Amino acid sequence: MKGIAWGLLAAWVIDDAEELATMAGWSREAPGQVRAVLPGVPDRVVEQLPMSSREAATAIGLTGVVMAAASAAGARSGGRSAFFQAALTGFGAHGVTHLAQSAALRRYTPGLVTTPLVVLPFSLWAWRRLRAYGVPAAAPDRRLTLALAAVVPLSHAIARLPRLRRTR
């Protein structure tokens, strides 16, 4: 069970290493591409896309703290932790968003390479192993799901705070 739980963190590290290596460069080019392919996206959203390498690293690091905590909870509980299971579900779902982003923009987006190689296979494998070990699915918790869904946007907002302070 501990291998499954810590495997979540390892799979997340692999995926986010790709994101860290590509996010800043991709995000500088993204506004023009988003406007060309998705003209209905509001300018205030598109203008938030560019981020520095430092901002990307900060956001990824903050998210990593949550993923490490979820993995630890999974290891301690034998995979039964609702926190761990929600993070595992979210990790797999975020892989689908990588695919959807690339399909919508018709180009590479950060995380696209590791999604079919790591994110989705690991997520499916982990759930199969948990079921094989007889670990029941935790009851869905709306507050936990919303809190975990907010982790990435909040981590990006926190990463951008120094930039916001400089522009005042």
Side-chain angles (χ1 to χ4, degrees):
M1 249 6 116
K2 290 183 185 207
I4 296 168
W6 291 114
L8 172 60
L9 182 60
W12 178 86
V13 166
I14 292 166
D15 178 55
D16 275 58
E18 177 192 356
E19 292 181 19
L20 180 59
T22 60
M23 183 80 66
W26 176 87
S27 73
R28 284 190 295 275
E29 299 171 8
Q33 293 164 349
V34 169
R35 283 187 175 108
V37 178
L38 303 169
V41 176
D43 283 343
R44 70 181 181 281
V45 173
V46 175
E47 291 163 3
Q48 294 300 310
L49 290 173
M51 66 180 351
S52 69
S53 295
R54 177 179 282 172
E55 289 169 341
T58 300
I60 288 168
L62 291 169
T63 303
V65 170
V66 175
M67 294 304 287
S71 294
R76 278 192 309 274
S77 68
R80 288 171 168 72
S81 162
F83 178 31
F84 166 72
Q85 289 187 15
L88 179 59
T89 298
F91 181 65
H94 113 279
V96 175
T97 65
H98 284 313
L99 298 176
Q101 287 169 342
S102 289
L105 294 176
R106 295 182 224 127
R107 70 179 302 262
Y108 172 83
T109 58
L112 179 63
V113 173
T114 51
T115 289
L117 299 176
V118 177
V119 176
L120 297 176
F122 173 80
S123 298
L124 293 171
W125 173 84
W127 279 112
R128 285 188 191 121
R129 295 308 309 147
L130 289 171
R131 295 300 156 257
Y133 285 119
V135 175
D141 180 322
R142 191 179 349 218
R143 287 178 290 190
L144 178 59
T145 301
L146 289 172
L148 285 173
V151 167
V152 171
L154 284 173
S155 69
H156 281 265
I158 291 167
R160 290 168 190 251
L161 284 176
R163 181 191 338 170
L164 295 174
R165 288 187 185 131
R166 284 192 303 269
T167 60
R168 288 185 186 178

